[in-house]
Amino acid sequence: MPVEIQTEIQQAVDSRRNFAIISHPDAGKTTLTEKLLLYGGAIHEAGAVKARRAQRKATSDWMEMEQQRGISITSTVLQFLYKGFQINLLDTPGHQDFSEDTYRTLAAADNAVMLIDAAKGLEPQTRKLFEVCQMRSLPIFTFVNKLDRPGREALELLDEIEQELGMQTYAVNWPIGMGDRFKGVFDRVHQQIHLFERRAHGSKAAQDTVIDLCDPRIEEFLDQELYYQLKEELEILEEIALDFDIEQVHAGKMTPVFFGSAMTNFGVELFLKSFLDYALKPEARKSSKGEIEPTYPEFTGFVFKLQANMDPKHRDRVAFVRVCTGKFEKDMTVKHARTGKTVRLSRPQKLFAQGRESLDVAYPGDVIGLNNPGVFAIGDTIYNGKKLEYEGIPCFSPEIFAYIKNPNPSKFKQFQKGITELREEGAIQIMYSANEFKRDPILAAVGQLQFEVVQFRLRNEYNVETTLEPLSFSLARWVAGGWEAIEKAGRIFNTMTVKDNWGRPVLLIRNEWNLGQIMADHPELQLNSTAPVGAGIEPD
């Protein structure tokens, strides 16, 4: 490989930063995303996330249902430049019913930003997503949000993170006041006070006044009580705090903590600047050939998400590909690891939520959108050079199940097309009864909201009204050994045998008690709560 190309790839890797934001619903994740885009110059005015039509819509919430309800229900990718860095921001759904979409997105991330509500602290969904980040050894940056409202003491929140998540904390900045008295933050690294001026709904970048801690003018800007409270808290912090350790941060064992208010923009730009200093650049990834460095000369990447109908006018299907190594170029020809076919990657797109623009090149850490005429599946690897496959992305056990029915025979084609495309997308797991006479698809979901999204999208995107017939099962278990193992086991009581997306046998089971009964009656059966990956190698 020419030295010039090697240098080009290395420089591109050094300037890439890629991260996903995780949080419990209502912690302010979409608001923080908007404000990061505002400071990155990607948008000129941030949209508050409300379910009112008159309100300016949030950039990252592009789906109509998201805009109506004011929640994120699908992952999006937002790419922008900031201070010479190419940032790939992976916005994930906060709602627990879409945690599988978040899991897939985290497979493409190099870093995670954990967003916490200052009044509520750690919440159940945050804990769950934290565990996924830990499984992937991702560096985790914590942003404590909503300091403009009454909340818990900063020291108490740090203690909760350490005790409950088992992580060391390092407060990069410290809040000055809280609620109506929240005036700004103290930057511990540069020993400076940042005082902010409120703007209406934080739609524009906040005015920031910077003063050294020992500056005699400080009393002009900060009342005496807040000043002495800050000094007292900083003294306590210096006594109990650990030293900052970037290696521990990169290993996912220490989290840098930032305080601020995304709604009013307080502390957002400080967070973004520090994140670029501390975050991991694109790193080596596990593959069938061992760990592959991003500077490996050949292009490789993997599909972590599929999305249908991002552009309703064109009824498109887009594959989200994380570039892992080498240099991607428009119209290049690559090998598809699962099928062995050769694929020409025409019309690649730079993604910015629903908006897209054509791109010519991309580098490790970037996420690109590729037109998907039914070629790609989640977890697929594409490559040049010697064959390799990256880790696949497993499906998890759903908890609610229902037949979905099309009561209008004249809409049969639209119904089939919608179900096929939503199944490929992974918006929901779709299974079929092993009984050939029962042809209605079975929706398998983590939560009720997934059912509502599927019905909404079939109605809005495919013009098909549907009905649901709930099934009385709460567990799904994949059968190791396939159909042969099912036949050997004979009749299995209190279950329903279905086929998953890949035609593999799955047992639907009523409850945990029934599962125990099955294991006692059929000790030879090996049942798994996650599906074997359909594409890529099995994760460790």
Side-chain angles (χ1 to χ4, degrees):
M1 185 183 209
V3 175
E4 296 82 10
I5 298 293
Q6 259 183 324
T7 304
E8 182 185 336
I9 293 171
Q10 184 64 65
Q11 286 175 344
V13 169
D14 291 342
S15 67
R16 258 61 183 173
R17 295 294 182 272
N18 167 313
F19 68 98
I21 303 181
I22 61 169
S23 77
H24 194 83
D26 298 325
K29 181 173 58 60
T30 305
T31 306
L32 177 62
T33 301
E34 289 284 305
K35 301 313 172 70
L36 292 171
L37 298 178
L38 177 69
Y39 280 100
I43 57 176
H44 298 296
E45 187 170 323
V49 187
K50 302 287 182 188
R52 297 201 306 264
R53 286 187 182 180
Q55 199 80 19
R56 189 182 173 279
K57 302 296 190 295
T59 306
S60 55
D61 288 341
W62 57 268
M63 194 182 284
E64 186 179 343
M65 192 171 179
E66 293 177 308
Q67 294 172 355
Q68 287 177 3
R69 296 196 181 198
I71 57 169
S72 296
I73 57 178
T74 182
S75 301
T76 53
V77 178
L78 301 141
Q79 297 170 311
F80 59 96
L81 282 166
Y82 180 74
K83 296 197 177 298
F85 288 89
Q86 173 80 37
I87 298 173
N88 288 269
L89 192 166
L90 306 171
D91 181 41
T92 63
H95 200 288
Q96 62 184 18
D97 289 6
F98 302 96
S99 51
E100 200 159 325
D101 196 18
T102 301
Y103 180 87
R104 290 193 289 262
T105 302
L106 288 171
D110 299 313
N111 305 274
V113 173
M114 179 169 69
L115 186 65
I116 293 174
D117 184 321
K120 297 173 183 174
L122 292 173
E123 296 177 87
Q125 185 65 1
T126 316
R127 290 185 183 91
K128 276 187 188 177
L129 294 171
F130 165 78
E131 287 167 11
V132 175
C133 294
Q134 247 194 348
M135 279 164 51
R136 297 194 168 276
S137 301
L138 291 178
I140 297 173
F141 298 79
T142 301
F143 189 90
V144 180
N145 193 25
K146 302 188 181 181
L147 266 292
D148 57 316
R149 302 178 187 180
R152 289 161 58 186
E153 293 294 330
L155 284 167
E156 185 188 335
L157 291 165
L158 293 186
D159 187 58
E160 182 177 51
I161 293 168
E162 292 184 357
Q163 296 300 319
E164 293 204 26
L165 302 183
M167 289 185 91
Q168 300 168 358
T169 62
Y170 182 87
V172 180
N173 64 29
W174 198 253
I176 303 169
M178 186 177 288
D180 290 342
R181 301 189 72 204
F182 181 49
K183 301 298 182 190
V185 294
F186 174 66
D187 178 351
R188 291 181 67 208
V189 178
H190 301 100
Q191 293 288 295
Q192 291 177 323
I193 289 174
H194 289 253
L195 300 172
F196 302 109
E197 189 181 303
R198 291 176 189 262
R199 291 289 185 92
H201 304 297
S203 61
K204 303 286 185 183
Q207 290 292 318
D208 184 358
T209 302
V210 183
I211 314 165
D212 290 331
L213 188 60
C214 53
D215 193 315
R217 296 177 303 141
I218 199 161
E219 291 182 15
E220 296 173 29
F221 297 98
L222 204 59
D223 72 49
Q224 196 173 54
E225 186 187 342
L226 276 180
Y227 178 61
Y228 283 115
Q229 180 186 326
L230 173 65
K231 288 193 78 171
E232 186 181 324
E233 289 176 352
L234 289 177
E235 283 170 15
I236 296 169
L237 194 60
E238 289 302 326
E239 282 181 28
I240 63 172
L242 295 166
D243 291 337
F244 184 75
D245 186 336
I246 193 67
E247 288 183 10
Q248 291 287 86
V249 172
H250 288 172
K253 294 177 180 175
M254 173 181 272
T255 179
V257 182
F258 303 82
F259 293 88
S261 162
M263 182 58 78
T264 59
N265 301 340
F266 288 12
V268 174
E269 189 172 28
L270 270 176
F271 160 72
L272 186 54
K273 286 176 178 175
S274 297
F275 172 81
L276 295 177
D277 289 338
Y278 303 147
L280 268 182
K281 61 187 179 185
E283 287 220 307
R285 299 187 78 87
K286 291 177 186 173
S287 79
S288 55
K289 296 287 186 187
E291 291 215 331
I292 306 293
E293 294 290 338
T295 50
Y296 175 73
E298 299 286 2
F299 163 77
T300 66
F302 71 92
V303 178
F304 68 93
K305 177 181 171 63
L306 301 174
Q307 184 72 54
N309 304 330
M310 287 180 77
D311 182 351
K313 292 177 185 172
H314 297 101
R315 290 282 180 254
D316 58 346
R317 287 192 282 173
V318 177
F320 289 60
V321 175
R322 154 72 195 237
V323 180
C324 297
T325 68
K327 179 181 179 181
F328 169 86
E329 295 183 272
K330 183 180 179 180
D331 289 327
M332 74 189 308
T333 301
V334 298
K335 277 286 181 71
H336 186 281
R338 177 170 53 86
T339 62
K341 292 180 179 176
T342 299
V343 183
R344 183 165 171 253
L345 304 181
S346 57
R347 290 168 51 205
Q349 299 158 344
K350 177 182 175 182
L351 297 158
F352 191 76
Q354 189 181 17
R356 280 155 297 160
E357 58 186 68
S358 180
L359 66 76
D360 296 319
V361 297
Y363 298 93
D366 287 343
V367 173
I368 56 176
L370 296 175
N371 185 43
N372 178 34
V375 173
F376 298 115
I378 289 167
D380 277 350
T381 298
I382 52 177
Y383 67 95
N384 275 330
K386 293 180 180 176
K387 182 179 179 180
L388 62 82
E389 285 191 87
Y390 290 108
E391 288 184 326
I393 303 173
C395 293
F396 294 90
S397 178
E399 295 170 18
I400 56 172
F401 306 86
Y403 281 115
I404 185 164
K405 301 193 173 193
N406 165 33
N408 185 348
S410 68
K411 300 280 187 178
F412 177 76
K413 281 189 177 178
Q414 293 100 308
F415 176 70
Q416 288 296 105
K417 184 176 189 230
I419 289 292
T420 300
E421 291 185 358
L422 294 179
R423 185 192 70 210
E424 286 174 358
E425 188 181 299
I428 195 167
Q429 292 184 52
I430 295 176
M431 302 174 177
Y432 289 87
S433 173
N435 182 340
E436 295 299 327
F437 293 102
K438 293 183 179 177
R439 297 193 171 183
D440 291 318
I442 297 167
L443 300 186
V446 175
Q448 187 66 35
L449 187 54
Q450 282 180 285
F451 284 176
E452 292 176 35
V453 169
V454 167
Q455 288 192 286
F456 178 88
R457 292 187 62 188
L458 285 171
R459 183 169 61 250
N460 273 50
E461 297 171 22
Y462 300 91
N463 197 27
V464 179
E465 293 287 348
T466 55
T467 59
L468 293 179
E469 182 186 306
L471 292 165
S472 56
F473 301 101
S474 65
L475 300 169
R477 291 294 181 267
W478 280 262
V479 182
W483 293 101
E484 191 179 333
I486 289 274
E487 284 174 28
K488 281 183 182 175
R491 190 168 179 190
I492 305 170
F493 291 99
N494 293 315
T495 65
M496 177 178 175
T497 306
V498 299
K499 298 179 285 189
D500 74 358
N501 188 23
W502 302 88
R504 302 171 299 205
V506 185
L507 293 182
L508 302 190
I509 302 165
R510 295 194 188 282
N511 51 45
E512 289 283 354
W513 187 85
N514 284 137
L515 175 61
Q517 198 175 37
I518 293 163
M519 299 308 292
D521 293 345
H522 301 276
E524 77 286 357
L525 270 186
Q526 184 186 332
L527 302 179
N528 299 315
S529 58
T530 58
V533 299
I537 59 170
E538 291 287 340
D540 292 340

